[in-house]
Amino acid sequence: MLMSNKGREARLHYMPGTFRVLSNGDHVRCAATGQPIPLDELRYWSVARQEAYSSPELSVKAEGGGDRLGARASCFVPAFDGAGLN
């Protein structure tokens, strides 16, 4: 019997610029808010703390940055649409 990953929380290992799926699912939870983040929308996480965030502001705040920018361990992965490739 095939198992659906819909509605299941995934377990990930966060690395700089990417992540590895440890347990299949369709979302992770924001460490700051508890809100589900669909894997295809996941852009912010902490490699050091192995936590996901739903926004850059929450990621910086979790780093202790408050209003300053430049969270060291947080990672932003921009969406790539292939524009500009020949």
Side-chain angles (χ1 to χ4, degrees):
M1 178 167 83
L2 294 175
M3 299 287 292
S4 172
N5 293 323
K6 188 173 183 177
R8 244 179 109 182
E9 189 169 343
R11 283 187 49 234
L12 306 179
H13 176 75
Y14 302 101
M15 298 175 284
T18 191
F19 55 82
R20 184 171 46 129
V21 177
L22 301 175
S23 295
N24 289 330
D26 66 350
H27 69 280
V28 292
R29 297 224 172 250
C30 176
T33 66
Q35 297 276 353
I37 307 166
L39 292 186
D40 63 345
E41 294 178 19
L42 179 60
R43 302 285 184 267
Y44 313 98
W45 58 80
S46 169
V47 172
R49 286 187 308 284
Q50 292 294 294
E51 295 176 335
Y53 303 98
S54 57
S55 73
E57 295 82 11
L58 291 171
S59 175
V60 171
K61 187 175 180 179
E63 285 294 325
D67 292 330
R68 79 174 204 282
L69 296 176
R72 291 187 316 254
S74 293
C75 193
F76 168 67
V77 182
F80 178 71
D81 62 5
L85 293 179
N86 296 327

